[in-house]
Amino acid sequence: MKIKKISVWICIAAMTASLAAGCGKKTLESSEVKDSQETDTVSGDVETSQTVQVTDINGTAITAENGALESQNMPEAPADQAPQGGKPDTPPAGGAPQNNDGKPAPGGAAPGPGSLIFIGTGESITFEITDSTIITVEFLQGSQEGTSDNILVGSVLEITLDDENQAREITVKNLNAGGGFGGSSEVTNGTSANTIEEDSVEEGTSYTSNGDDENALRIDGAKVSLDNITVEKTGGNSSNTENGDFYGQNAGLLALNGASVTVSNATVNTDAVNGNGVFSYGEGTAVTISDSVIRTAKNNSGGIQTTGGGAMYASNLDVETQGNSAAAIRSDRGGGTVQVSGGSYVTNGTGSPAIYCTADITVSNAELTANASEGVVVEGKNSVSLKGCNMTASMENTYNGDSEENIHAIMIYQSMSGDAQLGEADFSAEDGSITAKKGDMFYVTNTDCTISLKNVAFTLANDIFLRVEGNSSSRGWGTKGANGGDVALNVDSQSIDGNILVDDISSLDFQMSNNSVFTGSINPDGDEGTVNIVLDETSSWILTGDSYITSFNGDTSNITGNGYHLYVNGEEIF
C-alpha cells in the first residue's frame, strides 16, 4: 500500500488558542531555566516549534510552508435536519450531528465553531524525519502514536526541530475540530430495572423498564442462561447518546463486567433513544443469542451492539430497526468480536446500515437490508466478512440533499473521531449477492483498505463500481486534499461490471485471478491517481471506455477493446 491518506482531529477546541500562539516560539528541552538574577545561560538544545503545511515529500525530507492556525466560525447544522449517517432527535451535548456510532455523520454537518484554517506565510522550510522522531496523531477524543505514513502532502503539522533541522516531535493535525461531543470519558452504564449478578438459569421471565438511562435487564459479571424471555424497554429518556452508544446506557438488555450470557427464543422490544436491543460491553463479556426477535423504534437504537472489546455470537435472529443511527448489527468505541450466522437484519432509518463496523465482524448466510442507508460501513482498522449473504442497500440523499455528497452501498472510511484505530480496513465477500438500489457500489475515503471478492453477484444502481477519492472534509474526515484512499482490490472467480474512479490523492492496486472478468473502464477522463493492474492469464478485461492507469502486468491479448484504448502513464498500449 502507498502512504496512507490519513489526517486527524484536534484533541480539544481549547487547544486552538495556545497552538496558534505557540507558532514560531522557542522551546527548551532537557534543560532547567534558573532565576534570571542567578544566570543568563540555559543548558540543553534549542528547538523551534512551529505550524506548517506539507508541500513536498522526498524520502525522509519534508518541505512545508510556515504558517499558523486561525479559528473560523461556521454555522452548525440545523437541529431539525437528519444527515445521512443519522443523528439523534436532538443533538447531544456539543451539538454535532452523529452517525450510528456517535461520530461526525456520514454526509453530516459542516464543522462547528472552533474549526481551524491554516494561514500560510509563503515562507518554506525543509526538515528531516529520523528514526527517533516522535510522531503523534491527534483525534477529537485523544491521540495515538503515528508513523511517517500518516504524513503526506497537504497535512498540517506542528513540528519541533533541533538545531540540525531534524524533527524531534511531529503532531499531525486536522483543521476540522467540529462541535464536540457529549460522551463521558468515564464508563457510564446508567441504571437497571432488573439486574442479575449471580449465575442462574431463567426461563419465561419478563423484564420491563420505562426509566431514564435505565436497562430493562442487566447481567453483571454472571454466567446466565435465558430462555423464552421477554425484554420490554417501553420508554425512558437518554441523557447522553454517546454513553448509550459506547456503554449500553438505556439499552434493553446489557451484559457487562465479564458476563457470559446465553439467550434463546427471546423477544426484545425497545421504544427509547439509545434503546439498543441486546448490548455486549467490555473485554471478557460474551453474549450468545439465537432464534430471537429484536425490534427497536427510536434513534441510536441498534439491534445487537458490541463495544469495549466485548463479544457477540448471534444465530437465526429476526432484527428490525426503525430509527436513524440504528444499525441492525452494530459496534462502537473499543470494538470487539461479532459473529452472525443466518437470520434477517433490516433497517429503515437514515444512517442505519445493516452493519456498522468498528470491530471484527463476520456474517454468514444472512439477509441484510438497509432501506434508507448504505448496507455496510467499515471504519478504521476493522473488518467485515460476508459469506453467502444477500445484501440490499438503498441510501437516501445525504445531508440537506446535497447532490455533491456521495451515495453508495458500501463505505470504507476513517472518521477521525478516535473511536476506531488508524490502520487498514478490510472488507471481504464470498458467494451471495450485493445490490445497490442507489449510488455507487463502493466508496473509499480517508483510509487504506483491502477489498476481497469471490463469486459475488453484484447489481449496480449506476455505472460506478468503485470510487476511491478524497472528501470535502466538511464532516471531519481528514484534511481536504490529503484524505483520499489507498485500496487493494483482489478478485477471485469474480465478474465485475462498472467503472472505477481513483482521484489524484488516491491509489488502487487491482489484481484479478481465476477466470475473473472486469467489464468497465478506469479513470476514463484521463490520468488521476496511481492505478496498478495485475491480470492473470485466466482473467480478462472488457473495456467500456478509454482507461488510464499507471502500470499493467498481464497479457494484452486478454483485453477486449470495443474500440477503446488502454493508456499506461499516458502511453497507449492497447
Side-chain angles (χ1 to χ4, degrees), residues 143-201:
S143 62
Q144 179 177 315
E145 181 180 350
T147 70
S148 60
D149 285 346
N150 303 128
I151 301 170
L152 67 158
V153 173
S155 294
V156 175
L157 314 175
E158 182 177 292
I159 60 174
T160 302
L161 305 179
D162 62 18
D163 54 6
E164 296 181 352
N165 233 33
Q166 295 180 336
R168 290 285 185 89
E169 297 182 2
I170 296 176
T171 299
V172 186
K173 310 195 72 65
N174 185 288
L175 309 188
N176 297 288
F181 301 104
S184 173
S185 59
E186 297 182 359
V187 176
T188 307
N189 305 114
T191 61
S192 180
N194 303 278
T195 301
I196 301 175
E197 297 178 297
E198 302 292 335
D199 294 356
S200 63
V201 176

Side-chain angles (χ1 to χ4, degrees), residues 107-355:
S115 297
L116 303 176
I117 55 175
F118 177 82
I119 304 297
T121 63
E123 298 178 353
S124 183
I125 182 175
T126 298
F127 59 91
E128 292 282 337
I129 297 177
T130 70
D131 291 341
S132 60
T133 301
I134 299 172
I135 300 174
T136 302
V137 179
E138 280 186 346
F139 293 95
L140 179 67
Q141 304 183 41
S143 62
Q144 179 177 315
E145 181 180 350
T147 70
S148 60
D149 285 346
N150 303 128
I151 301 170
L152 67 158
V153 173
S155 294
V156 175
L157 314 175
E158 182 177 292
I159 60 174
T160 302
L161 305 179
D162 62 18
D163 54 6
E164 296 181 352
N165 233 33
Q166 295 180 336
R168 290 285 185 89
E169 297 182 2
I170 296 176
T171 299
V172 186
K173 310 195 72 65
N174 185 288
L175 309 188
N176 297 288
F181 301 104
S184 173
S185 59
E186 297 182 359
V187 176
T188 307
N189 305 114
T191 61
S192 180
N194 303 278
T195 301
I196 301 175
E197 297 178 297
E198 302 292 335
D199 294 356
S200 63
V201 176
E202 306 289 334
E203 185 173 355
T205 310
S206 294
Y207 305 93
T208 63
S209 164
N210 60 7
D212 297 347
D213 297 333
E214 182 181 70
N215 306 130
L217 174 61
R218 177 178 297 181
I219 296 90
D220 190 347
K223 184 176 182 179
V224 176
S225 176
L226 304 168
D227 184 46
N228 197 32
I229 66 165
T230 300
V231 176
E232 297 281 348
K233 173 71 177 169
T234 59
N237 294 323
S238 173
S239 63
N240 186 296
T241 56
E242 286 205 333
N243 288 341
D245 292 343
F246 298 163
Y247 311 126
Q249 179 174 283
N250 226 36
L253 187 159
L254 171 63
L256 74 170
N257 292 329
S260 177
V261 184
T262 301
V263 184
S264 57
N265 305 303
T267 299
V268 179
N269 296 309
T270 72
D271 191 16
V273 171
N274 282 137
N276 294 286
V278 177
F279 200 119
S280 177
Y281 172 73
E283 293 185 6
T285 300
V287 175
T288 301
I289 180 169
S290 63
D291 303 304
S292 297
V293 176
I294 300 173
R295 297 288 186 269
T296 73
K298 295 293 179 64
N299 293 347
N300 293 78
S301 298
I304 53 175
Q305 170 88 328
T306 308
T307 70
M312 179 75 68
Y313 305 100
S315 60
N316 300 319
L317 301 187
D318 178 356
V319 176
E320 186 167 0
T321 71
Q322 299 296 332
N324 300 335
S325 301
I329 301 168
R330 187 180 184 204
S331 63
D332 209 309
R333 181 176 294 179
T337 300
V338 181
Q339 296 179 5
V340 176
S341 176
S344 171
Y345 303 82
V346 178
T347 66
N348 295 291
T350 59
S352 299
I355 301 172

Side-chain angles (χ1 to χ4, degrees), residues 8 202 207 438 507:
V8 289
E202 306 289 334
Y207 305 93
K438 297 179 182 178
S507 72

Side-chain angles (χ1 to χ4, degrees), residues 86-105:
K87 68 166 188 166
D89 290 329
T90 57
Q98 297 177 18
N99 67 8
N100 62 301
D101 71 337
K103 300 169 177 58

Side-chain angles (χ1 to χ4, degrees), residues 18 48 65 77 129 176 288 304 355 394 400-401 521 544 572:
S18 62
T48 60
E65 181 183 11
I129 297 177
N176 297 288
T288 301
I304 53 175
I355 301 172
S394 186
N400 284 337
S521 62
T544 61
E572 181 183 325

Side-chain angles (χ1 to χ4, degrees), residues 48 243 252 417 420 428 467:
T48 60
N243 288 341
S417 68
S428 64
R467 184 185 298 269

